[in-house]
Amino acid sequence: MDSVWRELFGQQRSLELQLPSALLEPLERLLEQAPDSWDQARDWQPRLVRTLQQLSLPGWLIAQLLSDHNDLLYRVAIEESMEAMQAEGWGPAPVRFCVLVMGSGGRHESLLHPDQDNALILEDYPLERHNEIDAWFRSLSDRFTARLDQAGIPYCKGDVMASRPLWRKPISEWKEQMRLWMATRRVKLVQLCNILFDFAPVYGDATLAQQLREAIQAQVPTAGLFLHEMAELFDESPVALDRFERLQGDGKDAPHPNALNLKRQGLLPLTAALRLLALKKGCPEVSCRARLAWLDQAGVLQAGQARVLTEVFERLLDRLLQAQLKRAEGEGLPDNWIDQAQLDDFDQRQLQWDLKQIRTLQQKAVSL
């Protein structure tokens, strides 16, 4: 069951909490100051994080609320884009559609300064109408992705966006694409699927998203080579431990010698292992915490392992969110780096232990 906090940026945009008004006053004041112009949205989110932290909300719940706020930005961007198209004579949407948000946004685990990972599913339509219908949705996609970029959710550097034909197609073509992609072990296709598989509908007809999820799961029994390549990719982004289990960043694009990319070498290895286990076992959940709970109930994990890994996930998220907030309130953009030199002995040992638990989970995901 979702927390009542998830109503903060939901369809009703209301919040009913049994808390003293003095506690909620700073949050209510901040919500009243929510930006009404796109270019201010990015600067507002760090203030939201700080206010929620003052209410003692855990990092994983703050990440959900940041994701909910991003979903709200998506809905507004899409609706404003369709209104503009109506005014220009494009008419209403010619067929049913669903916009997906993917990656950390799809898992509702976004932190500060995410980029766009989105896609568009259309209901099937006659081939002779392709030029007309695709032009309509190409225009919609170009418009709403531009609005999101203006709002501080920048364009995806890898072009994983509905404005690109690869990520915008009818449901039957999506199903065929999954059949072809999951019948091979090409590294690039597995990398694209690792983004796609963690999706959630953000606007439109959610039944189209459910059809895609079912089509993906239907391919798993014959996707042995594909799943093997997913496991092989664990070696491309190992946890931040050397062979003596000491903390060690991979050095890629590091801003200084003590920098460790906690997303790339902590959170992503955890989410990748859970994604592979979810596919293998037919888990329908998307978020890390929900996947862990499901895998625990299904008896996939050892007794107590789900609880331990949930705590690991929450600690990593807390640690990275705090580092991002510090940069956002300083003079830099939030990123995924932490400074090992600023960790005391306890924190270093805690992080080492957490990363070892993730490596153990990776081994289980490979062996099952």
Side-chain angles (χ1 to χ4, degrees), residues 285-342:
E285 304 293 348
V286 177
S287 75
C288 287
R289 296 176 82 254
R291 279 173 171 165
L292 282 165
W294 190 96
L295 292 168
D296 184 44
Q297 284 290 107
V300 177
L301 302 177
Q302 295 176 354
Q305 191 176 16
R307 176 184 56 79
V308 166
L309 286 166
T310 298
E311 292 172 356
V312 167
F313 168 72
E314 293 173 358
R315 276 194 295 268
L316 292 181
L317 212 58
D318 270 322
R319 196 181 299 277
L320 185 53
L321 182 60
Q322 193 59 40
Q324 288 190 343
L325 186 59
K326 183 177 180 180
R327 280 188 59 82
E329 294 179 339
E331 296 180 353
L333 284 176
D335 56 30
N336 298 313
W337 298 97
I338 64 168
D339 187 348
Q340 297 179 63
Q342 295 185 2

Side-chain angles (χ1 to χ4, degrees), residues 132-173:
E132 163 212 344
I133 292 175
D134 188 62
W136 196 97
F137 285 103
R138 183 173 65 247
S139 179
L140 174 65
S141 301
D142 286 341
R143 292 168 190 252
F144 83 72
T145 55
R147 280 176 162 80
L148 290 171
D149 181 70
Q150 185 182 356
I153 307 179
Y155 290 123
C156 175
K157 294 179 180 178
D159 281 339
V160 181
M161 296 180 293
S163 52
R164 304 296 185 259
L166 181 64
W167 301 98
R168 182 187 70 248
K169 53 175 64 75
I171 183 61
S172 60
E173 293 185 21

Side-chain angles (χ1 to χ4, degrees), residues 61 256 277 338 352:
L61 182 51
H256 55 79
L277 279 172
I338 64 168
Q352 284 176 290

Side-chain angles (χ1 to χ4, degrees), residues 231-249:
E232 288 287 301
L233 285 179
F234 290 173
D235 293 334
E236 297 294 317
S237 296
V239 295
L241 295 173
D242 65 13
R243 61 196 182 97
F244 300 109
E245 297 189 336
R246 297 172 303 196
L247 291 177
Q248 178 176 293

Side-chain angles (χ1 to χ4, degrees), residues 201-221:
V202 70
Y203 191 92
D205 189 341
T207 63
L208 293 168
Q210 184 58 31
Q211 289 180 50
L212 177 58
R213 200 175 303 281
E214 291 169 358
I216 291 169
Q217 196 60 48
Q219 296 302 317
V220 171

Side-chain angles (χ1 to χ4, degrees), residues 177-194:
Q177 179 169 291
M178 290 298 96
R179 186 186 71 80
L180 294 173
W181 283 11
M182 295 178 70
T184 184
R185 61 175 301 165
R186 289 176 56 191
V187 172
K188 182 61 177 177
L189 297 183
V190 175
Q191 290 171 332
L192 292 176
C193 285
N194 278 336

Side-chain angles (χ1 to χ4, degrees), residues 70-177:
N70 291 335
D71 285 355
L72 175 59
L73 294 175
Y74 263 88
R75 294 194 296 270
V76 173
I78 294 166
E79 289 172 355
E80 286 188 356
S81 298
M82 290 196 295
E83 289 170 4
M85 290 175 68
Q86 285 270 37
E88 294 171 17
W90 284 82
V95 295
R96 292 182 300 121
F97 70 96
C98 182
V99 176
L100 306 179
V101 60
M102 303 179 295
S104 59
R107 296 190 302 272
H108 280 87
E109 295 165 1
S110 292
L111 299 179
L112 295 170
H113 200 58
D115 63 356
Q116 294 186 45
D117 287 315
N118 52 63
L120 186 56
I121 308 175
L122 314 178
E123 73 170 317
D124 289 326
Y125 53 79
L127 184 60
E128 58 269 20
R129 294 190 64 195
H130 174 73
N131 289 342
E132 163 212 344
I133 292 175
D134 188 62
W136 196 97
F137 285 103
R138 183 173 65 247
S139 179
L140 174 65
S141 301
D142 286 341
R143 292 168 190 252
F144 83 72
T145 55
R147 280 176 162 80
L148 290 171
D149 181 70
Q150 185 182 356
I153 307 179
Y155 290 123
C156 175
K157 294 179 180 178
D159 281 339
V160 181
M161 296 180 293
S163 52
R164 304 296 185 259
L166 181 64
W167 301 98
R168 182 187 70 248
K169 53 175 64 75
I171 183 61
S172 60
E173 293 185 21
W174 274 110
K175 291 178 180 179
E176 178 64 6
Q177 179 169 291

